[in-house]
């Protein structure tokens, strides 16, 4: 028996959990037709294989038809979900982990124009800013119907083999009843705290009456909304005591904050550049006041933080949810004393932000997450050892090198710079995004562990590459900033990279033309504004920085608005000309009929990258496949078999931005899915 605090077992009612680390409820948006089919099951089971004590699915499963998911959630109101749940719970239990599911009615936190186009209901007509729907004020028959829906859904989950259900209260209908900010009902469900809590307790009673006492029941709720007029800390403590005293629940899962706006959500679930475990001490106060089983999760990215949370008695179970999206095998690696091998969560929040924008959660630097059916978390050994030469030590090249070396190949990496990192090293120049370097540092550690040879300060040409006698060559040379986008005056502009890297001195009156819409534009703006420049960000799009996405945008806006940066949408920079010491920027619009001018002293263009691909095209005629990739084999996850030049010397591939400007996840996915089959 280990003495390590997070590895200690924990008895929760009748259920013995094998350690103190859990994956809290979250929705990766992998359901098919609202059901947890093969992909969802594979994702969930992988975390159980990795040693977690309990995994909680769904964030959250809908109990009623007038709670339509705003992204792809599980539909707990359908009887057909039971056999799918059973397959998943059986598979998780076979790996030694417990499994629960989170149930909810979203209340106003959804839209009426989803699913069956039913009215949104809430205890007031107040709209939630995030989802914009004006709700119908809930009626007595709605309340009766929804209470029954909760009980029906819980009964389905028990029939499916779940160890328990957790009610999602915070921000959802249950919390909308308990918060004085969102409850404008008269008694018996509005007014006093007794009345506002009645709906929660009626739901709990209905569920407990249906599932019995041998079923775990918990609530994830906000014990402090941190909003004027909302549920404050004192009332949150009282709610916590009442939940314990009710005898209806088996644990409390603590949230602090509100999620009705992007800034509020980001404070509840902090991203990179924000403090780790900001609400852990508060959860500890709840546990101390109630002396009741307490769970908590909020930016607990590493084992040291989890160890502290348990050892100090702050909580009984600690959630490492995003960390397990990055590495599902955290607990196994702790047990095996391989903590250095844990792939670190960098807080990029690509997982959560992408659910709304892209439809499914992916980890920025683990491309196997959510693709467990086709991509390995640990690469298998190759039958035949090969010599693999990778050109470029950015995220794409390092992933290819890592996976190829893990498969047992001899790998050599050629890099023109004096250190690894590529664009990541540039991104990490901003203090807020410093954590991104862990993407590189972890891969360097893994490559060194598997014997990869690195040759830095090496400008690779065809002769250099072919001197290695490779079987496979992977070009991961990335790209260079693309600023040739104007009808005239391209020589007068600088790139966002020039500003971020410090290669170009900031101007005092700067126009940033950003139609890539990614982090680089905002990073450059922040750098310039902090240097004292007057900054305007202009984009031809109808919104700025669309690739940054919601929660990642929050820290930028908190900074840039204080620095009085101006944001201009739907205008296009067309040309720049010199006028003495100044620049004249000619501005038009894709909508037509506009001709404006700006007088500035610096113009910055952020327009993605152009592939640095000369070496690829130099090597292409001498390769066996002439650079061709079979997309059918790539998608199917089978080895590449293209042979277009039988006299060729090696297989040749290019990945990442050496193909086209994309993002870090795409670069890493390229590296993984090619190298895993070499």
């Amino acid at each position: 028996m280990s003495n390590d605090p997070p590895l200690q077992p924990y008895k929760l009612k009748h259920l013995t959990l094998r350690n103190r680390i859990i994956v809290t409820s979250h929705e990766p948006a992998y359901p098919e037709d609202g059901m947890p089919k093969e992909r969802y099951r594979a994702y969930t089971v992988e975390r159980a294989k990795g040693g977690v004590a309990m995994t909680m699915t769904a964030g959250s499963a809908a109990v009623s038809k007038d709670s339509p998911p705003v992204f792809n959630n599980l539909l707990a109101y359908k009887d057909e979900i039971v056999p799918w749940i059973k397959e998943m719970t059986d598979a998780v239990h076979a790996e030694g982990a417990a499994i629960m599911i989170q149930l909810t009615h979203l209340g106003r936190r959804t839209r009426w124009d989803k699913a069956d186009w039913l009215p949104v209901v809430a205890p007031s007509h107040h709209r939630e800013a995030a989802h914009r729907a004006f709700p119908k004020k809930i009626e007595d028959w709605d309340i009766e119907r929804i209470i029954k829906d909760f009980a029906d859904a819980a009964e389905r989950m028990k029939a499916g083999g779940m160890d328990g259900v957790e009610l999602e209260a915070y921000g959802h209908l249950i919390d909308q009843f308990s918060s004085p900010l969102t409850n404008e009902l008269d008694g018996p469900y509005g007014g006093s705290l007794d009345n506002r809590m009645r709906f929660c307790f009626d739901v709990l009673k209905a569920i407990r009456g249906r599932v019995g006492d041998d079923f775990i029941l918990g609530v994830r709720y906000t014990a402090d909304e941190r909003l004027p007029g909302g549920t404050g800390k004192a009332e949150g403590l009282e709610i916590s005591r009442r939940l314990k005293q009710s005898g209806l629940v088996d644990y409390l899962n603590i949230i602090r904050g509100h999620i009705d706006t992007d800034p509020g959500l980001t404070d509840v679930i902090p991203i990179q550049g924000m403090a780790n475990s900001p609400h852990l001490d508060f959860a500890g106060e709840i546990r101390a006041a109630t002396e009741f089983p307490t769970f908590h999760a909020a930016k607990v990215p590493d084992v040291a933080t989890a160890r502290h949370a348990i050892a100090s008695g702050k909580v009984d179970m600690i959630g490492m949810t995003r960390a397990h999206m990055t590495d599902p095998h955290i607990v196994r690696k702790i047990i095996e004393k391989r903590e250095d091998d844990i792939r670190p969560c960098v807080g990029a929040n690509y997982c959560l932000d992408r659910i709304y924008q892209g439809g499914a959660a992916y980890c920025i630097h683990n491309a196997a997450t959510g693709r467990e059916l086709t991509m390995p978390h640990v690469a298998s050994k190759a039958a035949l050892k090969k010599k693999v030469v990778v050109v470029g030590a950015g995220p794409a090249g390092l992933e290819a090198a890592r996976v190829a070396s893990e498969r047992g190949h001899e790998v050599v990496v050629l890099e023109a710079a004096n250190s690894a990192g590529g664009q990541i090293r540039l991104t990490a120049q901003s203090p807020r995004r410093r954590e991104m370097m862990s993407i590189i540092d972890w891969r360097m550690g893994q490559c060194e562990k598997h014997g990869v040879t690195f040759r830095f300060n090496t400008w690779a040409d065809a002769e250099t590459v072919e001197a290695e006698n490779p079987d496979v060559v992977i070009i991961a040379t990335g790209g260079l900033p693309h600023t040739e986008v104007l009808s005239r005056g391209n020589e007068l502009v600088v790139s966002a990279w020039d500003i971020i890297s410090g290669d170009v001195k900031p101007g005092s009156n700067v126009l940033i033309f950003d139609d890539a819409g990614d982090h680089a534009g905002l990073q450059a703006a922040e750098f310039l504004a902090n240097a004292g420049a007057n900054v305007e960000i202009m984009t031809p799009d109808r919104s700025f920085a669309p690739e940054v996405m919601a929660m990642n945008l929050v820290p930028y806006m908190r900074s840039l608005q204080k620095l009085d940066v101006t944001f201009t949408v739907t205008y296009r920079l067309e040309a720049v000309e010199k006028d003495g010491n100044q620049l004249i920027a000619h501005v038009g619009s894709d909508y037509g009929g506009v001709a404006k001018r700006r007088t500035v002293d610096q113009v910055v263009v952020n327009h993605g990258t152009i592939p640095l691909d000369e070496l690829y095209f130099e090597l292409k005629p001498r390769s066996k496949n002439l650079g061709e990739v079979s997309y059918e084999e790539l998608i199917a996850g089978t080895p590449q078999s293209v042979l277009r030049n039988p006299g060729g010397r090696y297989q040749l591939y290019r990945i990442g931005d050496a193909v086209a400007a994309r993002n870090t996840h795409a670069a890493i996915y390229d590296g993984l899915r090619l190298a895993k089959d070499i």
Side-chain angles (χ1 to χ4, degrees), residues 63-77:
V63 302
S64 303
K65 289 184 177 181
D66 63 341
S67 175
V70 283
F71 50 83
N72 189 13
N73 299 62
L74 295 176
L75 303 179
Y77 58 78

Side-chain angles (χ1 to χ4, degrees), residues 177-180 183 189 191-198 235:
F177 269 90
S178 61
S179 171
N183 188 338
Y189 288 97
S192 67
L193 180 60
D194 281 338
N195 288 352
R196 285 184 277 118
M197 287 291 295
R198 191 183 308 277
E235 193 167 66

Side-chain angles (χ1 to χ4, degrees), residues 426-579:
L426 188 68
T427 293
Q429 294 295 311
S430 294
R432 181 181 305 115
R433 305 203 80 209
R434 195 167 290 141
E435 292 171 71
M436 293 288 283
M437 272 308 294
S438 293
I439 293 174
I440 302 302
D441 294 342
W442 180 77
R443 282 175 172 76
M444 286 297 294
Q446 294 298 299
C447 285
E448 289 165 6
K449 177 180 177 181
H450 292 291
V452 174
T453 298
F454 285 90
R455 295 192 183 133
F456 294 108
N457 299 306
T458 301
W459 182 262
D461 56 18
E463 184 179 355
T464 307
V465 171
E466 291 178 342
E468 296 288 341
N469 294 314
D471 298 299
V472 181
V473 178
I474 298 175
I475 303 299
T477 44
L480 294 174
H482 182 22
T483 58
E484 300 280 326
V485 299
L486 308 178
S487 62
R488 66 183 188 280
N490 288 303
E491 73 281 2
L492 301 174
V493 309
V494 300
S495 73
W497 286 22
D498 291 329
I499 298 297
I500 298 167
S501 65
D503 289 344
V504 171
K505 183 180 177 181
S508 59
N509 186 24
V510 185
L511 174 65
I512 299 176
F513 179 61
D514 180 19
D515 65 348
D518 56 15
H519 282 275
L522 296 184
Q523 283 185 269
E526 192 169 22
F527 186 94
L528 289 160
N530 277 322
N534 178 61
V535 180
E536 177 184 6
I537 300 175
M538 178 180 292
T539 175
D541 298 322
R542 60 182 177 177
S543 63
F544 61 89
E547 301 300 324
V548 173
M549 298 187 281
M551 293 172 71
N552 268 276
L553 187 64
V554 170
Y556 283 117
M557 295 310 297
R558 285 177 171 164
S559 172
L560 295 174
Q561 286 184 335
K562 289 175 184 174
L563 294 166
D564 206 24
V565 170
T566 299
F567 297 86
T568 303
V569 299
T570 70
Y571 288 93
R572 179 178 292 280
L573 179 65
E574 295 180 338
V576 175
E577 61 181 323
K578 197 165 181 60
D579 182 20

